[in-house]
């Protein structure tokens, strides 16, 4: 029961992050499973089995709040499923001694990407509203699905920033569409692992815990996507992923303490600096938006006053007697 509760809490936290950022459920959950000793293939299989349920509920919740573009879901989700099945088959064929460092390295790169992406980059809005092209979404889904299955996560970290960078969709619709299409990816990856591994190494308690926590968090996350500052959350989660997987790589290659502790210190200091920077930028943006909103409201009041005075002048003019003509 203790294990079930622990993994339910992990699933809840990971889904809150994923539903708010459009990424990091798989990366966060797989990082934990590797830390407690699961094999890479079993860790990824466990997470993807749980994601079948969490992504289904998450997609329904995002649809309920109007965060889903179904055309994008179809264009990216189907190639994503193909890539995920291939990635699961590939990972299951690797020896554990090779697969573990490979997965940690992939997760480390994804963690760095999340950390840097949300700490330093804003949103490009120049192309907002333009349609997403199939020739862009198809290859993106194929690559993201393969990375997701081999790394135990990656659908969101690869897909979400790429679509955001295009500037063609609102952030909430990007996140909702990515989370919804992930159901296809999770199902395809799970089938790939089950065909390759059977149930070997998959703990039903772990799957149930991650599933329960994720299902509870999914509706909350779909609502929070409109209110949580993504920049701050992305910096915080990215730092956790980078630190944990750096530690896993050091353990795998038996790096000496004289090297690992200075690296840990640099990571933690950089992580804290990133979170502080994100918080300051968020506050500055919020204040700027407040000033802009106040100025807009004041201008609207002035325009209304000018219009009212103009109407009064017209009424006075209309009530004056006309001068007699000669």
């Amino acid at each position: 029961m203790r294990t079930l509760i622990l993994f339910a809490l992990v699933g809840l936290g990971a889904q809150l992050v994923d539903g708010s950022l459009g990424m990091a459920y798989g990366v966060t959950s797989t990082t934990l499973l590797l830390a407690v000793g699961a094999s890479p293939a079993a860790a990824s299989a466990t997470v993807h089995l749980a994601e079948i349920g969490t992504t289904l509920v998450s997609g329904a919740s995002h649809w309920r709040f109007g965060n889903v573009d179904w055309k994008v879901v179809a264009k990216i989700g189907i190639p994503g499923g193909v890539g995920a099945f291939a990635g699961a088959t590939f990972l299951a064929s690797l020896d554990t001694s090779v697969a573990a460092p490979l997965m940690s390295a992939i997760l480390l790169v994804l963690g760095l990407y999340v950390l840097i992406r949300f700490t330093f980059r804003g949103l490009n809005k120049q192309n907002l509203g333009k349609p997403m092209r199939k020739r862009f979404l198809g290859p993106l889904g194929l690559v993201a699905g393969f990375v997701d299955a081999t790394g135990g996560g990656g659908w969101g970290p690869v897909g979400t920033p790429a679509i955001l960078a295009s500037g063609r969709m609102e952030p909430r619709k990007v996140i909702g569409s990515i989370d919804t299409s992930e159901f296809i990816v999770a199902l395809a990856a799970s089938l790939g692992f089950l065909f390759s591994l059977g149930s070997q190494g998959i703990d039903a308690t772990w799957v149930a815990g991650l599933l329960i926590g994720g299902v509870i968090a999914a509706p909350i996350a779909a609502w929070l996507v409109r209110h949580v500052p993504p920049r701050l959350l992305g910096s915080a989660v990215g730092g956790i992923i980078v630190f944990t997987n750096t530690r896993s790589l050091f353990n795998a290659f038996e790096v000496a303490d004289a090297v690992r502790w200075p690296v840990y210190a640099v990571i933690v200091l950089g992580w804290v600096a990133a979170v502080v920077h994100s918080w300051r930028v968020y506050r500055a943006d919020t204040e700027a938006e407040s000033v802009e909103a106040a100025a807009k409201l004041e201008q609207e009041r002035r325009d209304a006053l000018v219009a009212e005075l103009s109407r009064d002048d017209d009424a006075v003019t209309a009530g004056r007697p006309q001068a007699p003509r000669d």
Side-chain angles (χ1 to χ4, degrees):
M1 179 59 72
R2 188 184 308 173
T3 302
L4 181 65
I5 294 173
L6 173 63
F7 277 87
L9 290 174
V10 171
L12 188 146
Q15 184 58 45
L16 282 175
V17 172
D18 187 89
S20 301
L21 292 181
M23 64 180 74
Y25 179 90
V27 177
T28 305
S29 302
T30 304
T31 295
L32 170 74
L33 292 175
L34 290 178
V36 299
S39 70
S44 187
T46 299
V47 169
H48 283 94
L49 281 169
E51 280 185 327
I52 293 175
T54 60
T55 54
L56 183 61
V57 176
S58 179
S61 301
H62 277 295
W63 169 72
R64 171 67 179 79
F65 286 101
N67 299 335
V68 179
D69 185 324
W70 290 104
K71 291 182 179 179
V72 172
V73 170
K75 290 177 183 178
I76 197 172
I78 295 172
V82 174
F85 188 89
T89 305
F90 171 74
L91 182 63
S93 67
L94 290 179
D95 184 83
T96 303
S97 61
V98 176
L102 174 63
M103 180 176 281
S104 293
I106 292 173
L107 292 171
L108 174 60
V109 171
L110 294 174
L112 279 169
Y113 189 87
V114 171
L115 178 64
I116 294 170
R117 171 68 179 80
F118 284 93
T119 300
F120 297 108
R121 295 193 60 185
L123 175 64
N124 175 20
K125 297 182 179 180
Q126 293 180 350
N127 299 315
L128 193 63
K130 294 182 179 179
M132 300 297 301
R133 297 176 179 175
K134 187 175 182 180
R135 65 185 181 185
F136 168 71
L137 292 175
L140 175 63
L142 195 65
V143 172
F146 186 86
V147 172
D148 186 82
T150 54
W155 179 250
V158 174
T160 299
I163 298 178
L164 281 174
S166 72
R168 292 172 179 253
M169 290 179 67
E170 297 176 66
R172 66 182 182 88
K173 287 204 170 184
V174 174
I175 293 169
S177 300
I178 285 290
D179 276 6
T180 302
S181 59
E182 194 170 8
F183 170 77
I184 302 172
V185 174
L187 183 60
S190 297
L191 290 173
F193 283 119
L194 289 174
F195 286 148
S196 303
L197 296 174
S199 59
Q200 180 183 353
I202 299 175
D203 191 315
T205 303
W206 294 1
V207 174
L210 293 174
L211 176 60
I212 292 169
V215 167
I216 292 172
I220 303 172
W223 177 80
L224 282 176
V225 71
R226 297 170 179 261
H227 305 283
V228 173
R231 196 164 199 152
L232 183 63
L233 190 57
S235 296
V237 173
I240 295 173
I241 294 167
V242 168
F243 182 87
T244 306
N245 286 288
T246 299
R247 181 176 174 274
S248 298
L249 284 172
F250 282 174
N251 290 337
F253 293 104
E254 299 180 353
V255 176
D257 289 345
V259 175
R260 69 170 65 201
W261 287 110
V263 173
Y264 290 160
V266 170
I267 291 173
V268 170
L269 289 174
W271 180 16
V272 171
V275 172
V276 171
H277 174 76
S278 293
W279 173 250
R280 287 177 176 174
V281 172
Y282 167 68
R283 289 297 300 272
D285 289 346
T286 302
E287 291 174 4
E289 288 174 1
S290 298
V291 171
E292 184 179 349
K296 184 177 180 180
L297 180 61
E298 181 63 24
Q299 186 60 46
E300 289 175 352
R301 288 176 177 174
R302 289 179 181 178
D303 292 342
L305 180 60
V306 169
E308 183 177 351
L309 291 174
S310 178
R311 286 195 299 270
D312 290 344
D313 289 344
D314 291 343
V316 170
T317 301
R320 290 176 180 172
Q322 298 292 325
R325 295 180 179 180
D326 295 339

